[in-house]
Amino acid sequence: MTKAILWDLDGVLVDTAPFHFQAWRKLFRSVGKGFADADFRRTFGLRNDAILRDILGELTPAEVERLAQRKEELYRDKIEGRVTAIPGAVDLLRRLQQRGRRIAIVSSAPGENVRLVLRSLGLEGVFEVVVAEEDAPKGKPDPQGFLLAAEKLGVTAGECVVIEDAPGGVEAAKRAGMRCIGVTTSRPREALAGADLVVDSLEEGAVYSFLGI
C-alpha cells in the first residue's frame, strides 16, 4: 500500500523554470558567459554547484558558494509573489491529505527557496517533511534525499511513490527502491521512460488510480 508521496518542487508543484533561467542568465552574463535555452534544458534540475562547474569549469568551493548564493538571491527576487501551482497539484495534495497519505517535498533547491514557494502558494505546514539541498548534499540522481524523507516519515521505500519531472529525479527514485510518477511538465515522455507511470498532467485519473486514492 502507498503510504507516502514524495514531491519534487520545481516542475511538479510549481513551474519556476522561467525564473531560474532568468536568474542563471543574469548571473552568467555578469561574469562574461552566455547561457542559452539549450544550456538551461540540459542542466535544469541539477544542483547549483554542478551547473556552475558545467558552465564555468573548475571553481574553488568559495567561488561556488558565492556564485550560488548570488543566483538564489536573483531567483528569489524574481519569484516573490509571482508563483502559481501547476494545474492539478493542489487538488491532488488535498485528496492525499483527505485519504491520510503522508506527504513530503524532496528538492535540490535551497531550503529558503522551498519555504518561499510554499508560503507564496499558501501551503505552509501542508508537507510533513521538507528535504532541501542542504539536507541531502549528494543531490539527485543519488537517492539520499528520498531515503531521508522516507526515514523522517517513518515509512519504507516500498511504501513511497515519488512524483518527478526530471530524469535525474526518476533515477533517484528507482535507486531508492521507490515507485515513480513522471510528469511531462519540463521533459518529453521518452526522457521519463524509467518512471512507473508517465502523465502529461496531475489532473489525469491515472494518477489517482496509481496512488489508490
Side-chain angles (χ1 to χ4, degrees):
M1 175 184 171
T2 300
K3 292 185 177 179
I5 291 78
L6 313 184
W7 293 64
D8 182 32
L9 182 72
D10 296 320
V12 173
L13 184 60
V14 290
D15 181 12
T16 54
F19 304 111
H20 280 291
F21 177 56
Q22 293 164 23
W24 278 121
R25 186 168 58 179
K26 187 170 184 178
L27 175 75
F28 287 127
R29 188 178 294 155
S30 72
V31 295
K33 280 283 187 177
F35 191 68
D37 287 346
D39 295 315
F40 180 67
R41 289 194 299 271
R42 179 171 51 80
T43 59
F44 187 52
L46 297 179
R47 288 169 52 91
N48 285 344
D49 55 350
I51 297 173
L52 286 165
R53 290 191 169 101
D54 181 275
I55 301 299
L56 300 178
E58 285 303 312
L59 296 167
T60 67
E63 289 172 325
V64 168
E65 183 177 359
R66 177 179 61 81
L67 291 168
Q69 184 176 39
R70 178 56 182 153
K71 182 266 172 179
E72 297 308 335
E73 290 170 353
L74 292 168
Y75 167 76
R76 286 190 289 270
D77 285 344
K78 291 180 181 298
I79 69 166
E80 187 78 51
R82 297 188 181 97
V83 294
T84 56
I86 282 177
V90 174
D91 287 343
L92 179 56
L93 279 171
R94 299 305 184 202
R95 176 71 73 86
L96 291 169
Q97 286 183 305
Q98 291 168 3
R99 297 301 170 89
R101 301 300 191 268
R102 317 289 299 280
I103 49 179
I105 284 275
V106 180
S107 174
S108 298
E112 188 173 351
N113 291 9
V114 177
R115 291 187 291 272
L116 174 58
V117 168
L118 295 180
R119 281 199 306 272
S120 298
L121 295 175
L123 295 176
E124 285 182 292
V126 170
F127 292 91
E128 297 176 62
V129 167
V130 173
V131 175
E133 177 187 43
E134 52 269 38
D135 304 307
K138 291 183 179 179
K140 303 168 188 176
D142 191 280
Q144 182 185 42
F146 291 131
L147 293 172
L148 178 59
E151 180 184 345
K152 288 187 173 186
L153 288 171
V155 297
T156 67
E159 293 170 327
C160 296
V161 172
V162 170
I163 306 179
E164 266 286 352
D165 71 309
V170 172
E171 181 182 343
K174 303 312 291 183
R175 287 173 62 185
M178 300 176 181
R179 290 175 296 152
C180 183
I181 298 173
V183 189
T184 62
T185 49
S186 66
R187 304 294 200 289
R189 280 180 167 266
E190 53 269 26
L192 304 174
D196 298 277
L197 172 69
V198 180
V199 296
D200 296 321
S201 168
L202 293 177
E203 296 174 302
E204 292 183 27
V207 174
Y208 288 74
S209 297
F210 188 85
L211 296 174
I213 56 171

